[in-house]
Amino acid sequence: MTTTRTVVRGGLVITAADEMHADVLIEGGRIAALAAHDSDAAAGWSADTVIDATNKYVIPGGVDGHTHMEMPFGGTTASDTFETGTRAAAWGGTTTIVDFAIQSVGGSLRSGLDTWHAKADAQCAIDYGFHMIVSDVTDNTLKEMDVLVEEGVTSFKMFMAYPGVFYSDDGKILRAMQRAAANGGLTMMHAENGIAIDVLVQQALAAGRTDPRYHGEVRHALLEAEATHRAIQLARVAGAPLYIVHVSAQQAVAELTAARDLGLNVFGETCPQYLFLSTDNLAEPGFEGAKYVCSTPLRPREHQAALWQGLRTNDLQVVSTDHCPFCFAGQKDMGVGDFSKIPNGMPGVENRMDLLHQGVVDGQISRRRWIEIACATPARMFGLYPRKGTIAPGADADVVIYDPHAEQVMSAETHHMNVDYSAYEGRRTTGRVETVLSRGVPVIDNRTYVGRAGHGQYTPRGICQYLI
Ligand SMILES: [Zn+2]
């Protein structure tokens, strides 16, 4: 396998930095060289396999820094396994995921991490790494954080939401941030004021407001902004970098903008569902709105413009999916008559690259910015660059041949995620994945899956590459 040579000819290579009419030589699973199409160098390359990318884009495989395969939540488990979820990711042009291992309350980080390794081991079609969800900050947990950073689990997610489940109070958050400041870890924050939200949930249910749309109303945008602000101040006090996950409210974007204007190491992620969906979806008739229940919630349409602008101005740096699918039948319907019992999460790992490309088609972002927010920056943010996230000599040959002109209609009938609905059912988009290589090995070959469970390798990560 290591001597296999592949040449990708005739395409437009797009990275976060450049657009190049170049052929790409792949050798031993890595990018060996790029050269202009008609150059002597490219003409001289011999290869076992030639991929014709004429009129196509040649882009780095996507890096999705926020997924939850087979995650237990609210008495059920996310419906994609590492096998089905990573296969679907590959179909959508993503070649690396960073999933979340979970510490159970009273348990160690180590046992949580071991549990997630056991779920993923030998199952994945593409490469993967782990963040660690810290649910229980203790003296022992803090010591374990140091060890995990050394081992390549370099980011720690905490929750200001979900009291009684994942919630950490401000003191626990501060202690973990102080530890991360010392050991190089990156604190990731679910920023919503869960204590206040739970009061509003109880009041809504008591008043008979039980439909899915009330999930959006009780999780008020100001309670996302407040928590975002508080997390930023705690991180400043601790001297720690901070990454806010799934930003959905324009008021939260404003908090990030203000912090970055102060020169702070504060970063923000949003997700396709916040860019393309809204509270209109949560209000769909019957129980349909449950399909769109996730936290932070979908917001009124007008927030979308602020999120796109944040992506253009770099006040938001990353688009991940927060892929956490639950079937409409048998899982989402646990919340009929009580929106608070709807499992929180949406499918999307297969749709991210295409939806962001639609942002290019719609004039929201440039092609290079598409690659930056979906590939290069997440790779840098989570210590995977330049092995992942770019096409350059020495990088892993995680390469996608992308047809920018192909039309598709998103649908549960045709998607590969193990979930019985699509959040984008019937949506027409322009652009489609054609072929996907993971470390030079075909996973999708001309719209046919040729990968295998177990090809994907666990990938230890370095520390965040934006820290100064
Ligand atoms: Zn999440």
Side-chain angles (χ1 to χ4, degrees), residues 386-448:
R387 192 171 154 197
K388 306 296 188 188
T390 192
I391 295 179
D396 282 356
D398 293 358
V399 175
V400 175
I401 314 304
Y402 196 83
D403 182 346
H405 306 297
E407 302 279 328
Q408 62 172 318
V409 179
M410 292 182 174
S411 173
E413 299 290 309
T414 50
H415 75 199
H416 303 86
M417 299 176 283
N418 184 39
V419 60
D420 61 357
Y421 74 95
S422 169
Y424 306 97
E425 187 68 37
R427 182 175 294 258
R428 291 182 169 278
T429 58
T430 303
R432 195 173 69 171
V433 168
E434 191 171 279
T435 289
V436 176
L437 307 179
S438 165
R439 284 177 278 105
V441 177
V443 180
I444 306 290
D445 182 5
N446 234 326
R447 304 289 303 161
T448 301

Side-chain angles (χ1 to χ4, degrees), residues 102-104 106-116 132 144:
I102 301 180
Q103 174 198 24
S104 53
S108 64
L109 300 186
R110 173 66 61 199
S111 67
L113 185 58
D114 286 349
T115 299
W116 257 260
M132 190 81 222
E144 286 192 288

Side-chain angles (χ1 to χ4, degrees), residues 66-68 71 100 133 157 159 162 190 245-246 269 271 295-296 321-324 344:
H66 189 155
T67 66
H68 300 282
M71 185 182 97
F100 289 86
I133 288 177
K157 184 179 178 190
F159 290 78
Y162 303 129
H190 179 132
V245 297
H246 49 53
E269 162 198 281
C271 310
S295 296
T296 57
T321 59
D322 196 7
H323 177 76
C324 191
N344 283 208

Side-chain angles (χ1 to χ4, degrees), residues 9 57 118 123 141 172 193 216 247 288 292 379:
R9 294 210 187 268
Y57 296 161
Q123 299 301 311
T141 303
K172 288 185 173 181
N193 187 326
V247 175
E288 290 291 304
Y292 310 95

Side-chain angles (χ1 to χ4, degrees), residues 13 50 70-71 81 135 141 156 201 217 298-299 314 338 365 379 389 454:
V13 177
V50 175
E70 51 192 292
M71 185 182 97
T81 62
S135 319
T141 303
F156 302 93
V201 169
E217 293 193 9
L298 302 183
R299 301 295 183 192
N314 205 38
D338 179 350
I365 51 172

